[in-house]
C-alpha cells in the first residue's frame, strides 16, 4: 500500500517527482535534492531493500549492477578525475531513507575522512 512505501519507492513509482538521469529494469538513478557535490546522484534498486544489512546473497548481482551503473553515469557526467560511491547504513552511518541507495559524488576534490 502507498503509505508503506519509502520516499524512494514513490519516486520509482512516479508518485513523487525527481530528476531521473537513468533507469533500467533493476534500478533508477536521480539527482539528490540536497547535492553535496556538483554531481550527486542516488542509484536505487527497484527492489526495496532497506539497508546494507538487509542485502541477501540473492541480491549480490543486483548490488554489483548498481556499481556498474554508477561507473557509467560517472562517465556520462564527465567525472574523469574520479568520484566517490557511498552506502550509508543505519543511524551511525546517517542513513535517512531506508531504501538502499548508492550515492555517487563527484565534480570537486572530496576530502577524507568524511565527517
Ligand atoms: P541517506 O542519508 O544516505 O539515507 O541519503 C538520503 C539522501 O536522499 C540525502 O542525500 C537526501 O538529500 C536525499 N533526498 C531526500 N529527499 C529527496 C528527494 N525527494 N529527491 C532526491 N533526493 C532526496
Amino acid at each position: 500500500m502507498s503509505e508503506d512505501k519509502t520516499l524512494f519507492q514513490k519516486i520509482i513509482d512516479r508518485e513523487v517527482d525527481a530528476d531521473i538521469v537513468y533507469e533500467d529494469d533493476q534500478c533508477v538513478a536521480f539527482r539528490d535534492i540536497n547535492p553535496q557535490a556538483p554531481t550527486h546522484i542516488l542509484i536505487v534498486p527497484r527492489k526495496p531493500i532497506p539497508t546494507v544489512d538487509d542485502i541477501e546473497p540473492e541480491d549480490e548481482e543486483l548490488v554489483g549492477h548498481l556499481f556498474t551503473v554508477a561507473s557509467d553515469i560517472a562517465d556520462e557526467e564527465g567525472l574523469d578525475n574520479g568520484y566517490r560511491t557511498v552506502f550509508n547504513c543505519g543511524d551511525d552511518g546517517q542513513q535517512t531513507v531506508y531504501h538502499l541507495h548508492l550515492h555517487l559524488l563527484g565534480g570537486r576534490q572530496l576530502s577524507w575522512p568524511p565527517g
Side-chain angles (χ1 to χ4, degrees):
M1 292 203 314
S2 176
E3 55 267 31
D4 296 329
K5 289 183 180 179
T6 65
L7 170 63
F8 290 172
Q9 192 65 51
K10 290 177 182 173
I11 289 174
I12 291 167
D13 293 343
R14 302 298 205 274
E15 294 170 10
V16 170
D17 285 339
D19 185 358
I20 293 172
V21 297
Y22 174 84
E23 66 180 318
D24 62 26
D25 61 335
Q26 296 181 79
C27 68
V28 176
F30 49 88
R31 294 191 191 279
D32 196 293
I33 204 166
N34 183 23
Q36 301 301 309
T39 292
H40 187 174
I41 290 169
L42 305 172
I43 302 145
V44 184
R46 292 184 185 276
K47 182 176 179 180
I49 301 166
T51 80
V52 168
D53 279 341
D54 301 299
I55 296 169
E56 300 289 347
E58 71 206 34
D59 302 319
E60 287 176 2
E61 195 172 326
L62 170 61
V63 174
H65 179 68
L66 302 181
F67 283 97
T68 57
V69 168
S71 174
D72 289 347
I73 294 173
D75 195 34
E76 286 285 319
E77 293 282 313
L79 304 180
D80 302 329
N81 206 37
Y83 54 89
R84 186 170 294 164
T85 50
V86 178
F87 282 118
N88 293 325
C89 183
D91 284 347
D92 277 6
Q94 289 217 316
Q95 183 174 2
T96 58
V97 179
Y98 280 74
H99 184 139
L100 192 72
H101 49 282
L102 184 61
H103 293 258
L104 168 64
L105 296 137
R108 67 172 171 84
Q109 178 65 64
L110 299 166
S111 57
W112 192 265

